[in-house]
Amino acid sequence: MALWSVSFVLLCAWRLSYAQYEHLGYPPGYQGPSQDLYTAPELPADTPRIQLRLAGEKRKHNEGRVEVFYEGEWGTVCDDDFTIHAAQVVCRELGYFEAVSWSPSSKYGKGEGRIWFDNVHCTGKEKSLALCESNGIGVSDCKHTEDVGVVCSDKRIPGFKFVNTLTNNINSLNIQVEDVRIRPILSSYRKRVPVTEGYVEVKDGGKWKQICDDEWTQMNSRVICGMFGFPGDKRYNTRVYKMFARRRKPTYWDYSINCTGNEAHLSSCKLGHTLSIKANSTCEQGTPVVVSCVPGRAFAPTPMAGFRKAFRQEQPLVRIRGGAVVGEGRVEVLKNGEWGTICDDNWNLVAATVVCRELGFGSAKEALSGGQLGQGMGPVHMNEVQCSGFEKSVTECPFNMDKDSEGCSHEEDAGVRCNVPAMGFQQRLRLSGGHNPFEGRVEVLMERNGSLVWGTVCSEGWGTMEAMVVCRQLGLGFASNAFQETWYWPGAVSADAVVMSGVRCSGTEMSLSHCLHHGEYLSCPKGGGRFAAGVSCSETAPDLVLNPQVVEQTTYLEDRPMFMLQCAYEENCLGSTSSATPANSYRRLLRFSSQIHNNGQSDFRPKASRETWVWHDCHRHYHSMEVFTHYDLLSNNGTKVAEGHKASFCLEDSECDEGIEKRYECANFGEQGITVGCWDTYRHDIDCQWVDITDVKPGDYVFQIVINPNYEVAESDYTNNVVKCRCRYDGHRIWMYNCHIGGSFSAETEDTFPGLINNQVTHR
């Protein structure tokens, strides 16, 4: 294994000054065009003094119902005549770079109080919503069912400065600043990755300022730590920070902060009172606010270079599946020994944050709905979840116990995107020479002869799992292809040399450096350059799932004479003793049907190009994947008792969910694949759709099917590619029972299948 040097870790530490804020909307090094720099608005004297906030049933911090504070009262805005130009004014007034969209008809829930604005007409250039034409403030014939909502960009306006136009009611206002950070102060924390302790600083008017700790609470610390990807906070040594504050004069922000602790983002917290700052710029009794955050197990820093070698989730009752990057996925909960999903009814940031924290991440960036990260399998365990935000697990949150109250389907599966610590991984890897940012030759930053150099990765053994890690590390989604030749992507000539070889990934790693690889002594016979490893990435991926009930319900035995199996014999679909079987003798075949669904977000397409497809006389069509499934009969200790053959397939849409059209068919050399929402059925009466059990003795066995076993095609989730069944054979009849998808039950239940690794398919 390669070791990172001290200089390399220090380099990564200063680069975190960018990486730490990526999740707040700034790309690294972003400065913004000069014409977009913020200048505080100068409003005419007769302009109504208002403040805005985004409220309601939000699934991101930068969206919500538009609420206006005027004359000591919060109210709403009617959707009549509202346009994207008005949304632009609202978002800019709140400090966001631009508006993304707007929603009528109280999408974020009905507000309360007055409806302050109706028939709003904006050009998009106004400095305040109060300057747009309207019926007049407080003049409206609307109901709260017409409350308007907006979605603003993640990116904040460079140089934005919060201007309070109200003299009273400051405690009713939400916090609006350009940016926030944790700045490490002590030398021991400056070298750590990720940054877990330091001053809390807000950027207001283009300047970083500290916050006075006079009224700071542990709930404020909880929110700050959550924003930066940490599930909790802890005590720290106050004495050393007081000494530091005496030596260096802080610059304080004008306000204090008041969080309840269940906010997912600082913008949802309230402003505290205005501070009376003394002439010497120190707050009366206090010092700058310091937070010390507790990272999840996967991100816990160890002295200097230490990182966990693979991401491991902490809580056995909840897991996330189908996400492209660490910290996002469809939420699944364990109930009565079986994994199931959560319905998205009433799903919000508070509940999503409970999930994120219990899995070792920070607060939620987004609460996802509508099966956005693929549809799960099994039961829907929870519906209408209502969390307070302080539960240790989402399984402790109240929910609708009446299963019949809402007919939730997997089209409504809830998901999360969590804040994760900035580890600086993106700065150590790049794609070079591609035609777009999602593809290219893989180049890594490695230490060679005492200095850091960019170089290529040896492509020997390079495959989908390695490509998946690269795409995840760069935040580019899933791998769509892994390339062992990249001559068509000319990278930097200075980076042609191979600096990493022997890479083998399990697919769960957060960084390519965490995968197994050769250390200082490289081995790459072909060399780099044109044979360097490459990838192409995609924001979506398919997800194949085999229907276990179909396997269980269609299983039977057939004794078939050898003279009827000549074609299957030539395709190696029979046991090894078949070569000595006379033509008039029989082979005993365990037959069954396979129904393979695509529950992902994109179509499943074969890796091989059309010109390489192979014609199969037995099936009378072309096979686009020579190894698409493994069928195996195993003893109870996991050893094979019937030679599992590797079935090749022609991929097509046999049937689809309602409203989805078939796109792929095998006939007439047609395009092959499985459309999202469709399934490919290989019937039990097709040649080679069997396991030859002629030489198997009576007994109890485990029948196992693995689809896409060699990971030829990237999927969003490989853990559901295995189906396991109990099997009893008495020499004449066979019983198939307890068929289930791998990983769909608890570890204790899976342990009743000895010899099998729960939820995993061995890679190479």
Side-chain angles (χ1 to χ4, degrees):
M1 299 293 290
L3 294 177
W4 300 98
S5 70
V6 171
S7 60
F8 186 44
V9 174
L10 289 175
L11 175 76
C12 295
W14 73 257
R15 289 189 172 198
L16 282 172
S17 61
Y18 289 132
Q20 188 177 184
Y21 315 113
E22 287 169 5
H23 73 288
L24 298 177
Y26 284 112
Y30 175 79
Q31 298 296 325
S34 58
Q35 66 267 27
D36 288 321
L37 286 177
Y38 183 86
T39 54
E42 295 181 8
L43 304 178
D46 59 347
T47 305
R49 292 312 192 244
I50 65 171
Q51 292 285 350
L52 302 180
R53 72 179 180 190
L54 301 181
E57 299 160 9
K58 307 199 295 186
R59 288 180 170 163
K60 290 190 289 188
H61 72 86
N62 50 322
E63 68 175 4
R65 181 176 61 244
V66 180
E67 293 197 347
V68 179
F69 192 76
Y70 180 67
E71 291 188 343
E73 183 183 353
W74 283 105
T76 62
V77 177
C78 182
D79 60 16
D80 291 350
D81 295 339
F82 201 88
T83 65
I84 191 66
H85 300 302
Q88 181 81 356
V89 173
V90 168
C91 290
R92 297 280 298 181
E93 193 167 355
L94 286 168
Y96 296 102
F97 196 75
E98 61 186 350
V100 176
S101 63
W102 67 277
S103 302
S105 307
S106 62
K107 175 186 175 181
Y108 297 99
K110 293 189 289 186
E112 296 177 344
R114 302 279 296 277
I115 296 176
W116 285 123
F117 289 102
D118 186 10
N119 297 112
V120 177
H121 293 268
C122 302
T123 65
K125 303 294 185 184
E126 293 87 353
K127 297 294 185 183
S128 169
L129 189 66
L131 292 174
C132 296
E133 291 182 17
S134 71
N135 291 351
I137 195 159
V139 180
S140 173
D141 59 358
C142 293
K143 298 178 180 177
H144 282 297
T145 53
E146 301 170 83
D147 287 342
V148 78
V150 299
V151 179
C152 302
S153 62
D154 288 332
K155 190 164 63 178
R156 301 286 289 172
I157 299 172
F160 176 81
K161 180 175 178 58
F162 171 71
V163 178
N164 177 28
T165 59
L166 307 175
T167 53
N168 300 316
N169 303 107
I170 186 74
N171 293 353
S172 299
L173 304 183
N174 285 37
I175 293 170
Q176 302 163 21
V177 292
E178 179 187 342
D179 208 346
V180 60
R181 71 182 181 186
I182 300 173
R183 181 163 69 93
I185 299 299
L186 307 183
S187 59
S188 57
Y189 281 95
R190 286 184 208 150
K191 299 173 184 176
R192 285 194 178 184
V193 180
V195 174
T196 58
E197 183 174 305
Y199 281 175
V200 177
E201 298 185 336
V202 294
K203 196 173 188 182
D204 195 36
K207 296 179 180 178
W208 287 106
K209 299 175 182 179
Q210 291 84 47
I211 300 170
C212 179
D213 71 353
D214 264 359
E215 296 186 356
W216 190 261
T217 67
Q218 189 266 333
M219 291 301 149
N220 296 344
S221 297
R222 174 180 164 89
V223 173
I224 294 293
C225 288
M227 285 177 61
F228 287 95
F230 305 113
D233 62 287
K234 62 182 176 68
R235 299 171 71 93
Y236 58 91
N237 185 344
T238 58
R239 189 173 58 186
V240 67
Y241 284 101
K242 286 179 179 177
M243 291 171 55
F244 187 87
R246 283 198 295 268
R247 291 207 311 267
R248 296 196 182 181
K249 186 171 69 174
T251 304
Y252 287 106
W253 191 41
D254 296 341
Y255 303 94
S256 59
I257 289 172
N258 182 16
C259 302
T260 63
N262 66 358
E263 296 91 349
H265 193 273
L266 188 65
S267 62
S268 299
C269 297
K270 298 285 189 291
L271 278 173
H273 64 71
T274 307
L275 298 179
S276 54
I277 306 296
K278 287 187 173 182
N280 62 0
S281 294
T282 59
C283 52
E284 277 187 48
Q285 303 296 324
T287 56
V289 163
V290 174
V291 294
S292 184
C293 303
V294 179
R297 189 189 311 162
F299 306 97
T302 54
M304 304 313 294
F307 291 106
R308 288 280 169 182
K309 293 304 175 195
F311 168 61
R312 291 190 300 172
Q313 294 166 347
E314 297 185 346
Q315 174 56 262
L317 295 178
V318 177
R319 68 186 185 187
I320 53 177
R321 288 284 185 268
V325 298
V326 173
E328 75 170 31
R330 178 181 62 252
V331 182
E332 297 185 353
V333 294
L334 186 65
K335 186 177 179 183
N336 299 327
E338 186 174 9
W339 288 98
T341 60
I342 296 179
C343 187
D344 63 10
D345 292 348
N346 297 346
W347 187 245
N348 59 22
L349 274 176
V350 176
T353 292
V354 172
V355 171
C356 291
R357 287 188 189 275
E358 74 174 299
L359 292 175
F361 306 116
S363 52
K365 276 193 291 195
E366 189 172 358
L368 299 166
S369 59
Q372 285 179 254
L373 296 179
Q375 296 182 25
M377 299 289 286
V380 178
H381 279 323
M382 301 176 76
N383 182 25
E384 297 180 2
V385 177
Q386 293 181 313
C387 301
S388 70
F390 295 98
E391 295 86 354
K392 292 199 180 304
S393 171
V394 74
T395 57
E396 299 173 7
C397 297
F399 64 98
N400 190 338
M401 304 287 287
D402 183 2
K403 290 186 178 180
D404 298 325
S405 64
E406 288 288 339
C408 281
S409 70
H410 286 298
E411 292 178 354
E412 301 169 84
D413 284 343
V416 294
R417 282 201 177 100
C418 305
N419 287 314
V420 297
M423 304 297 288
F425 293 145
Q426 291 189 355
Q427 280 70 47
R428 307 177 200 174
L429 191 71
R430 68 188 183 193
L431 300 183
S432 184
H435 302 300
N436 61 64
F438 286 82
E439 67 179 22
R441 184 175 82 174
V442 178
E443 296 178 359
V444 293
L445 188 64
M446 296 285 281
E447 187 197 1
R448 285 289 174 264
N449 301 321
S451 60
L452 292 165
V453 296
W454 286 99
T456 56
V457 178
C458 184
S459 65
E460 189 175 348
W462 185 258
T464 303
M465 285 303 192
E466 290 72 35
M468 282 289 226
V469 174
V470 168
C471 294
R472 178 184 298 117
Q473 184 173 347
L474 291 173
L476 297 177
F478 303 99
S480 53
N481 283 293
F483 299 97
Q484 295 190 351
E485 286 190 31
T486 51
W487 52 268
Y488 37 81
W489 286 332
V493 176
S494 60
D496 272 352
V498 172
V499 295
M500 197 177 199
S501 66
V503 181
R504 292 292 183 276
C505 303
S506 69
T508 61
E509 296 88 352
M510 291 185 282
S511 166
L512 200 63
S513 63
H514 295 174
C515 300
L516 290 171
H517 61 277
H518 298 151
E520 186 178 344
Y521 302 101
L522 303 174
S523 174
C524 190
K526 288 185 178 180
R530 62 173 293 166
F531 294 108
V535 301
S536 62
C537 306
S538 171
E539 292 179 339
T540 59
D543 182 20
L544 297 188
V545 183
L546 195 89
N547 189 324
Q549 285 73 37
V550 170
V551 175
E552 190 169 312
Q553 293 164 5
T554 58
T555 303
Y556 64 96
L557 295 180
E558 181 193 7
D559 289 338
R560 197 167 180 83
M562 191 65 195
F563 67 82
M564 296 179 65
L565 292 169
Q566 193 57 38
C567 192
Y569 173 74
E570 291 173 3
E571 290 197 15
N572 297 315
C573 295
L574 301 174
S576 58
T577 59
S578 61
S579 58
T581 303
N584 59 349
S585 294
Y586 292 80
R587 301 297 295 183
R588 178 157 290 177
L589 308 176
L590 169 60
R591 283 189 174 272
F592 54 93
S593 295
S594 295
Q595 188 182 96
I596 298 159
H597 295 245
N598 182 359
N599 285 357
Q601 301 164 273
S602 61
D603 294 354
F604 185 95
R605 299 299 309 278
K607 179 182 176 182
S609 55
R610 288 172 68 95
E611 60 272 13
T612 63
W613 294 356
V614 179
W615 173 260
H616 281 250
D617 276 331
C618 293
H619 297 165
R620 308 301 298 170
H621 57 222
Y622 285 91
H623 284 187
S624 58
M625 290 184 70
E626 278 307 300
V627 182
F628 183 64
T629 56
H630 285 182
Y631 303 141
D632 291 307
L633 193 65
L634 311 171
S635 69
N636 282 334
N637 66 8
T639 57
K640 291 182 184 179
V641 295
E643 295 176 8
H645 80 276
K646 301 177 180 181
S648 57
F649 265 59
C650 168
L651 303 174
E652 68 177 2
D653 296 327
S654 302
E655 294 181 66
C656 299
D657 289 331
E658 188 176 349
I660 298 176
E661 291 187 11
K662 298 179 183 179
R663 298 182 58 187
Y664 305 106
E665 62 175 345
C666 295
N668 302 318
F669 198 38
E671 285 292 334
Q672 293 192 24
I674 307 175
T675 305
V676 175
C678 299
W679 54 93
D680 186 2
T681 301
Y682 253 53
R683 286 171 48 88
H684 54 82
D685 51 3
I686 295 176
D687 251 7
C688 294
Q689 186 62 27
W690 63 57
V691 173
D692 184 351
I693 64 167
T694 306
D695 304 313
V696 173
K697 297 176 182 178
D700 290 319
Y701 299 99
V702 173
F703 181 51
Q704 179 175 283
I705 302 174
V706 184
I707 49 180
N708 193 16
N710 296 340
Y711 312 105
E712 279 188 41
V713 178
E715 297 184 48
S716 60
D717 187 0
Y718 288 111
T719 63
N720 56 16
N721 283 27
V722 185
V723 163
K724 307 169 189 174
C725 303
R726 284 281 183 197
C727 182
R728 173 163 289 183
Y729 175 49
D730 68 358
H732 307 284
R733 295 165 298 177
I734 198 155
W735 292 266
M736 198 75 76
Y737 59 100
N738 283 1
C739 289
H740 67 280
I741 297 168
S744 61
F745 292 123
S746 65
E748 291 78 13
T749 306
E750 292 287 354
D751 284 343
T752 64
F753 287 75
L756 298 180
I757 302 172
N758 175 39
N759 216 16
Q760 291 182 6
V761 184
T762 305
H763 178 43
R764 288 202 286 271

